[in-house]
Amino acid sequence: MVATFCFSYAINKLGARNASLLGSISPAITAFLAVPIFGESLSLFIIGGIGMTIVGVILSNRC
């Protein structure tokens, strides 16, 4: 419930397009933050997947 209210607040303040953009990139941000906080390691496949996701989000928002 908290996540739903927070997302609704974000849409209200940022607009649907920007809130969607941040929502799509949040798994990548979480993965990169897990490295210094929890000492996780990212494999080349994970970094490549994050890169492809970010490129896809950028390309889809250019229209």
Side-chain angles (χ1 to χ4, degrees):
M1 299 253 324
V2 173
T4 301
F5 288 122
C6 289
F7 192 66
S8 297
Y9 181 78
I11 289 174
N12 194 15
K13 292 295 179 180
L14 299 173
R17 182 177 181 181
N18 289 334
S20 172
L21 175 71
L22 290 175
S24 298
I25 295 180
S26 66
I29 295 168
T30 303
F32 283 127
L33 286 176
V35 173
I37 294 173
F38 299 115
E40 294 285 331
S41 61
L42 299 178
S43 69
L44 218 50
F45 289 113
I46 293 174
I47 293 171
I50 290 171
M52 287 189 288
T53 301
I54 291 173
V55 168
V57 168
I58 291 169
L59 291 176
S60 69
N61 281 304
R62 290 182 70 190
C63 299

